[in-house]
Amino acid sequence: MKVRTFKRHAVESLKSLKRNGWMSIAAVSAVTVTLLLVGSFISILLNVNKLATDVENDVSVRVYIDLAATKEQKDTLKTDLKKLSNVDKIEYSSREQELDKVVGSYGSEFNLFGGDDNPLFDVYVVSTESPRDTEKVAKAAEKLDNVAKVNYGGAQAKKLFNFVSAVRNIGGIIIIALLLVAMFLISNTIRITILSRRTEIEIMKLVGATNGFIRWPFFLEGAWIGFFGAIIPIAILSFVYVAAYDFVTRVLQGTYFALLAPQPFLYQIGGLLLALGVFIGAFGSLLSMRRFLKV
């Protein structure tokens, strides 16, 4: 297609939007409402998945070192832990550091257990390559020398992993269902706008216009409808998400958990909604026109 011809079709499609004002507004409104729902659910589900992943990754294997172990034995234990498969990182936490954590969580009265009265163990905190590897690493660590006990959450960790997996699966199904509903609603709305102009299409066909010549303005008109319909949801989601992010960040301050950062998340979700609106609008126009091009 020549540039001049494409420019003519683009201009004609914009004029057509203006000529069919109310129908165009109805179509854009349908796109706006649908994409706002889709964008909201996608944002919520992606952040739920992010928080679930943070919780999942926070699960680690705590290897409590025998109180009678010497420094050399502790070093040997660390070396042995590193040799275990699926181990990603090992951090050492002394008895004093463990007591400080207890005092910070439960109150200063636990300071009475300082010094030689400290009943806590030195600990190696082992992070695994995958959260699913924690049980395997924990069982292997229990067999090593100078290990008093090992803790990784046991049944609670399994329940957590199953919950996270369910969240991801259900979230994926909901997103796919919403996208299908969006395509159905938007394409049907555009079909109504084209149905109201069937006489115009039939006349163009009867005077010799090719299918491509007829199709292009409607194709671009559908794309414009999708484009304009996506702008409002993007603006609303951006404003609401930034406010929600600031609030949740304050609530979760001091923890390892956080929502997806507004940048680049909002650029990504905005680009997705824009592409989705343009694609569904243009594709819906093509599908809706097929019956009228058989005159």
Side-chain angles (χ1 to χ4, degrees):
M1 180 189 296
K2 295 181 180 179
V3 175
R4 182 183 300 175
T5 305
F6 179 81
K7 183 179 179 180
R8 179 198 175 281
H9 288 324
V11 172
E12 184 61 30
S13 65
L14 288 171
K15 288 181 179 179
S16 181
L17 281 177
K18 185 177 180 180
R19 267 197 315 269
N20 300 276
W22 287 112
M23 291 302 296
S24 298
I25 291 174
V28 170
S29 299
V31 174
T32 297
V33 173
T34 307
L35 290 184
L36 183 58
L37 287 173
V38 171
S40 298
F41 273 96
I42 290 177
S43 299
I44 291 171
L45 289 171
L46 289 179
N47 276 284
V48 168
N49 181 67
K50 167 67 166 56
L51 290 172
T53 301
D54 288 344
V55 172
E56 191 178 55
N57 290 335
D58 193 47
V59 175
S60 56
V61 179
R62 294 178 61 82
V63 179
Y64 296 89
I65 306 170
D66 194 310
L67 292 173
T70 64
K71 184 180 184 306
E72 290 74 18
Q73 289 173 324
K74 292 178 183 178
D75 293 339
T76 300
L77 175 57
K78 184 175 183 179
T79 301
D80 292 339
L81 287 171
K82 287 181 178 179
K83 291 179 181 178
L84 296 178
S85 59
N86 306 118
V87 169
D88 178 44
K89 183 175 60 175
I90 299 175
E91 294 181 358
Y92 176 75
S93 179
S94 67
R95 299 168 62 197
E96 291 73 22
Q97 290 172 318
E98 291 293 296
L99 182 61
D100 289 341
K101 293 176 185 177
V102 172
V103 171
S105 299
Y106 299 104
S108 58
E109 58 270 19
F110 284 90
N111 277 322
L112 297 172
F113 298 101
D116 294 335
D117 294 327
N118 187 345
L120 302 179
F121 294 86
D122 295 324
V123 179
Y124 281 126
V125 181
V126 182
S127 300
T128 57
E129 294 175 352
S130 167
R132 294 280 177 180
D133 296 326
T134 52
E135 183 178 8
K136 186 194 306 181
V137 171
K139 289 182 177 179
E142 286 177 335
K143 301 175 182 178
L144 299 177
D145 294 333
N146 299 302
V147 173
K149 61 179 179 177
V150 175
N151 182 19
Y152 72 102
Q156 296 301 320
K158 284 186 177 179
K159 289 180 181 179
L160 172 63
F161 297 148
N162 292 334
F163 171 75
V164 170
S165 179
V167 167
R168 288 180 178 136
N169 292 335
I170 293 172
I173 292 171
I174 291 176
I175 288 175
I176 292 172
L178 281 171
L179 292 177
L180 292 175
V181 169
M183 291 184 69
F184 175 78
L185 290 176
I186 294 171
S187 62
N188 273 309
T189 303
I190 293 173
R191 181 174 297 176
I192 293 172
T193 67
I194 293 177
L195 185 65
S196 67
R197 296 160 61 189
R198 62 186 181 277
T199 302
E200 176 187 343
I201 298 172
E202 291 170 357
I203 291 173
M204 292 175 68
K205 182 68 175 175
L206 290 172
V207 297
T210 64
N211 287 346
F213 188 86
I214 297 172
R215 188 182 287 117
W216 264 103
F218 285 97
F219 174 83
L220 293 174
E221 186 175 340
W224 284 122
I225 288 172
F227 177 81
F228 292 128
I231 291 176
I232 297 175
I234 291 172
I236 293 174
L237 283 173
S238 297
F239 176 79
V240 173
Y241 188 82
V242 169
Y245 179 82
D246 290 340
F247 173 76
V248 174
T249 299
R250 287 195 297 271
V251 171
L252 297 178
Q253 189 173 13
T255 70
Y256 294 104
F257 313 123
L259 297 182
L260 293 165
Q263 295 179 2
F265 176 70
L266 289 178
Y267 292 125
Q268 294 167 344
I269 199 75
L272 174 64
L273 292 181
L274 200 61
L276 189 62
V278 171
F279 172 77
I280 295 177
F283 188 67
S285 291
L286 292 181
L287 288 179
S288 304
M289 288 186 62
R290 286 188 304 175
R291 57 179 295 194
F292 301 117
L293 297 176
K294 297 177 181 179
V295 178

